[in-house]
Amino acid sequence: MLWDLIFTELDKNFKQVGYQVDTIKRGLWQALYIYDENSNYLYTFMRYKNFTNLQNKKPENKLFHYVNVLSKLNDNLKGMYKPEYEQISFFEELPLDEDTDIQLRKLLEEMLSKIKGEIERYAIVVVDQQKGKVQDIQCIIPTFNLETMYSESWNEFINVHYEYETSVIEPAAQENAEINLVFKEHPINLTLKEQKTQEKIGESGNNK
């Protein structure tokens, strides 16, 4: 329920000049994305638990997952700086043959077909929630095969107060019920976060 509300608010608050909001379809799944036209960053969103589970899968089992496919957008960053830490893995990285690489690039092109503009970088925002409350938010720049190249905490955005205009929702009507969520604070400004991220990455690159 909370995750549905997060997606609803993201979709509503970022449908404005400077952002493109839509969904990427991959099989039966649809993933919400936000494209920032000023920074040329592409963002998707996922539960923290689902992301870590995906990271720990065998390479062949996550190869064509949409997050891993989108992570190929960060291939050009490999020489800029090393991953923040080496993840422990019991599986060898799956080598890509030419046919697989072509297939991945074709999938990537299909998933990005609705986005108007160049994409400089892909980031995934992972949200950890427990007992219906958001506990932690991180913005991660992943490599292909889903190692963490760079991350920063977005916990400053957790303390956003919200209230329901409807206090009781019938169980049978939950799926189609329209819930008006009223934020008492400003929505996340991805441009400001992007400026902060670029400064940190620049500092990281200068220190290596």
Side-chain angles (χ1 to χ4, degrees):
M1 190 66 174
L2 176 61
W3 196 251
D4 291 337
L5 294 174
I6 290 172
F7 270 29
T8 298
E9 287 303 304
L10 286 169
D11 181 65
K12 181 175 68 177
N13 289 326
F14 286 99
K15 281 193 172 177
Q16 54 182 292
V17 175
Y19 300 100
Q20 296 175 36
V21 183
D22 211 320
T23 56
I24 293 172
K25 294 182 180 180
R26 181 77 177 95
L28 298 175
W29 295 93
Q30 292 190 45
L32 179 76
Y33 71 79
I34 295 175
Y35 173 65
D36 184 341
E37 296 176 350
N38 295 315
S39 65
N40 301 122
Y41 263 47
L42 175 67
Y43 297 85
T44 62
F45 305 82
M46 180 177 277
R47 291 182 178 88
Y48 175 79
K49 183 178 180 180
N50 290 351
F51 181 68
T52 55
N53 287 342
L54 181 60
Q55 284 182 308
N56 293 326
K57 284 187 176 182
K58 292 182 179 181
E60 60 268 27
N61 293 336
K62 62 185 174 184
L63 181 62
F64 292 106
H65 191 281
Y66 79 88
V67 173
N68 197 42
V69 176
L70 290 173
S71 295
K72 285 193 69 64
L73 291 165
N74 296 331
D75 281 352
N76 62 328
L77 305 178
K78 289 181 179 179
M80 292 182 61
Y81 48 91
K82 295 180 180 179
E84 292 187 342
Y85 55 86
E86 296 293 334
Q87 292 174 213
I88 298 175
S89 175
F90 297 101
F91 311 112
E92 293 184 4
E93 187 172 340
L94 191 68
L96 292 181
D97 56 43
E98 185 177 352
D99 289 341
T100 303
D101 189 55
I102 291 173
Q103 190 175 356
L104 286 168
R105 292 183 184 281
K106 183 178 179 181
L107 282 172
L108 183 61
E109 185 178 347
E110 290 174 357
M111 287 193 289
L112 302 178
S113 60
K114 292 186 288 186
I115 298 175
K116 298 177 181 178
E118 297 293 327
I119 299 173
E120 180 182 333
R121 212 156 294 179
Y122 165 62
I124 182 167
V125 180
V126 294
V127 180
D128 185 18
Q129 65 176 84
Q130 297 177 21
K131 298 181 179 180
K133 294 182 179 180
V134 175
Q135 303 292 332
D136 184 73
I137 304 175
Q138 293 184 54
C139 181
I140 296 172
I141 297 177
T143 65
F144 184 70
N145 208 38
L146 302 182
E147 288 188 1
T148 299
M149 183 177 296
Y150 173 84
S151 69
E152 70 177 33
S153 172
W154 281 14
N155 285 345
E156 63 196 84
F157 297 119
I158 289 179
N159 295 322
V160 177
H161 303 286
Y162 55 86
E163 60 185 15
Y164 293 104
E165 290 188 357
T166 304
S167 57
V168 179
I169 303 174
E170 294 296 330
Q174 282 186 9
E175 185 175 349
N176 298 319
E178 183 175 337
I179 300 171
N180 295 315
L181 201 64
V182 182
F183 278 85
K184 297 178 181 178
E185 303 288 343
H186 295 293
I188 296 173
N189 187 323
L190 292 181
T191 302
L192 292 178
K193 293 300 300 182
E194 164 55 13
Q195 290 172 351
K196 185 178 179 182
T197 302
Q198 285 182 333
E199 289 173 1
K200 288 186 178 180
I201 291 176
E203 292 172 1
S204 176
N206 292 333
N207 292 331
K208 295 189 182 294

